[in-house]
Amino acid sequence: MTTQQSPHPTLGVLYINPAGGCNLHCKHCWVNEGSFSGEPLGLAQWKELLAEAKAEGCNYVKLTGGEPLLYPEIVHLYSYSAALFPQIAIETNGTLQPEGLLDALTKQPPSHISISLDSADADVHDEFRGESGAWEKTVDFGSKLVNLGISNQIIMSVSDMNHEPILKMVNLIQKLGMNSLKINFITPSGRGQSNNFYSKNSIQETIDFFNWIDKETPKWVLPSIPAALMPVNRLINLGYCPVNNLMGVLPDGTFSLCGVAFSRKEFAWGKFPETTVKEAWQNSPVYKQIRTNVPQNLEGICHRCMHRDSCIGRCVVNNLETGGSITSPDILCQRAYEAGIFPKTRLINR
């Protein structure tokens, strides 16, 4: 007996982008660097939107961006969100410390805070982020989170397979006492098109690199690798995109799949408060298309993979960029399959 998928799954996760831009100029940015021209929602409107999301079943909110700490009333927005939802997270470049933020984080600790830091070398990081002094500010922010006992993570963006920068970052994190390192491989989206990981390396070299990470780095190093190519012993720490339970909101209240509609307008539909959270969640053609096709209609190797229903092709936006459709297979897994090196133990017949 099979259970038919609900046409309206629960809205479990909300990504909100409260600020209209960013204070850095990162070479890999696929979201937004101040080109957003709308009028950001006021605090009262954000509170109303969050309350509606809570009524739809949302239990996890991430403040992201752009740079969320640019929002003038970020401390009040954080405190309200933390009181309303059991889980709240922040993704930030760590260069800003608004007055009262650390006190708010101490009183109502987040699930975790992710901080972007791309090199243990200050000059390398600052050049990549387009801002002198960024590294020092980010490390200072991370150190304060450690001292306050707040769960934290460094996110490192990588475009090549050089071992040394990763090992240096591991050493820095150990020195600072931070909790984990997430390695994001730069995608062919936005500015990342000219310097992305996917087009620079052969699939065999890529898998060899993944294996090196597994063998030579601690288990708290979390590379963003497709589940099928991930060593079994690291699967327990692998995160998955909750795309069928996820909704994003841009600074002006435009509903989006995560923050992608900053640059890909086809992933936007409706605008708060003219469109309610419930209306957007139930009626958006963007979400309807995803619910109808992901993961059940994923193509290529993803359709035959044992991880299909959890991995869901990893990222529908990246699959659109690299394969032309939200149902296109993950580019790394497909290349591995075509090269005859996709793990046979991860295959099933459908």
Side-chain angles (χ1 to χ4, degrees):
M1 177 178 177
T2 58
T3 301
Q4 187 175 3
Q5 185 179 10
S6 169
H8 307 308
T10 301
L11 169 60
V13 181
L14 191 70
Y15 289 179
I16 65 173
N17 304 264
C22 185
N23 60 319
L24 300 184
H25 317 281
C26 307
K27 289 185 176 181
H28 70 308
C29 185
W30 64 276
V31 181
N32 172 40
E33 189 211 74
S35 60
F36 186 78
S37 59
E39 182 67 26
L41 296 180
L43 180 61
Q45 290 176 305
W46 277 121
K47 287 182 175 181
E48 183 181 350
L49 186 151
L50 289 166
E52 289 189 15
K54 178 74 172 181
E56 289 300 303
C58 182
N59 59 18
Y60 181 100
V61 167
K62 180 163 71 174
L63 302 173
T64 183
E67 174 47 54
L69 301 190
L70 279 173
Y71 187 66
E73 297 185 90
I74 187 62
V75 174
H76 297 294
L77 179 60
Y78 171 81
S79 297
Y80 179 83
S81 302
L84 195 61
F85 299 94
Q87 297 183 77
I88 183 167
I90 300 175
E91 281 187 348
T92 173
N93 59 45
T95 61
L96 304 172
Q97 297 183 36
E99 183 178 356
L101 177 65
L102 294 177
D103 288 340
L105 296 176
T106 303
K107 292 176 182 176
Q108 298 170 291
S111 303
H112 70 275
I113 296 182
S114 299
I115 307 171
S116 299
L117 191 69
D118 301 303
S119 177
D121 185 310
D123 291 338
V124 172
H125 173 80
D126 289 356
E127 195 273 335
F128 184 77
R129 293 274 163 176
E131 185 73 24
S132 179
W135 187 93
E136 184 176 355
K137 294 175 183 176
T138 299
V139 169
D140 177 68
F141 186 64
S143 298
K144 289 177 178 175
L145 295 181
V146 171
N147 292 337
L148 292 172
I150 293 171
S151 177
N152 57 78
Q153 179 181 78
I154 291 293
I155 298 179
M156 179 184 186
S157 298
V158 169
S159 66
D160 57 39
M161 295 187 290
N162 192 345
H163 296 178
E164 185 178 9
I166 293 176
L167 294 177
K168 286 185 175 180
M169 184 65 76
V170 168
N171 290 335
L172 176 62
I173 289 174
Q174 290 174 323
K175 179 181 177 181
L176 295 174
M178 300 192 73
N179 298 144
S180 64
L181 169 64
K182 182 182 179 185
I183 300 176
N184 281 348
F185 301 101
I186 296 177
T187 64
S189 303
R191 294 197 197 98
Q193 292 181 10
S194 61
N195 188 37
N196 73 86
F197 182 86
Y198 298 85
S199 63
K200 294 173 65 174
N201 311 297
S202 75
I203 188 59
Q204 183 62 66
E205 290 172 329
T206 299
I207 291 178
D208 290 344
F209 182 56
F210 292 166
N211 289 334
W212 173 83
I213 292 174
D214 175 48
K215 294 176 181 177
E216 302 297 332
T217 66
K219 293 299 181 282
W220 47 260
V221 175
L222 311 172
S224 183
I225 297 172
L229 303 182
M230 176 80 76
V232 173
N233 64 314
R234 285 187 183 253
L235 284 173
I236 190 172
N237 294 320
L238 182 63
Y240 298 100
C241 176
V243 67
N244 280 304
N245 303 94
L246 166 68
M247 182 159 68
V249 189
L250 304 191
D252 68 346
T254 296
F255 294 103
S256 165
L257 179 66
C258 63
V260 65
F262 275 123
S263 56
R264 299 294 297 256
K265 303 304 181 184
E266 65 268 34
F267 283 100
W269 187 85
K271 183 177 179 181
F272 188 83
E274 292 85 0
T275 302
T276 66
V277 170
K278 183 175 184 177
E279 289 170 343
W281 184 244
Q282 293 188 357
N283 300 329
S284 167
V286 176
Y287 303 135
K288 287 182 178 179
Q289 182 184 15
I290 290 172
R291 291 166 193 158
T292 301
N293 292 290
V294 179
Q296 56 270 36
N297 292 331
L298 287 173
E299 303 166 34
I301 188 58
C302 287
H303 189 73
R304 295 186 56 204
C305 179
M306 66 180 295
H307 300 283
R308 184 195 72 173
D309 293 345
S310 54
C311 178
I312 52 125
R314 198 156 56 120
C315 176
V316 297
V317 176
N318 198 42
N319 294 345
L320 175 66
E321 294 282 359
T322 58
S325 169
I326 63 169
T327 58
S328 295
D330 176 83
I331 187 173
L332 295 181
C333 289
Q334 187 64 27
R335 285 177 178 173
Y337 178 70
E338 291 170 359
I341 55 177
F342 186 89
K344 291 183 173 59
T345 54
R346 308 293 176 94
L347 286 172
I348 61 175
N349 292 318
R350 284 193 171 93

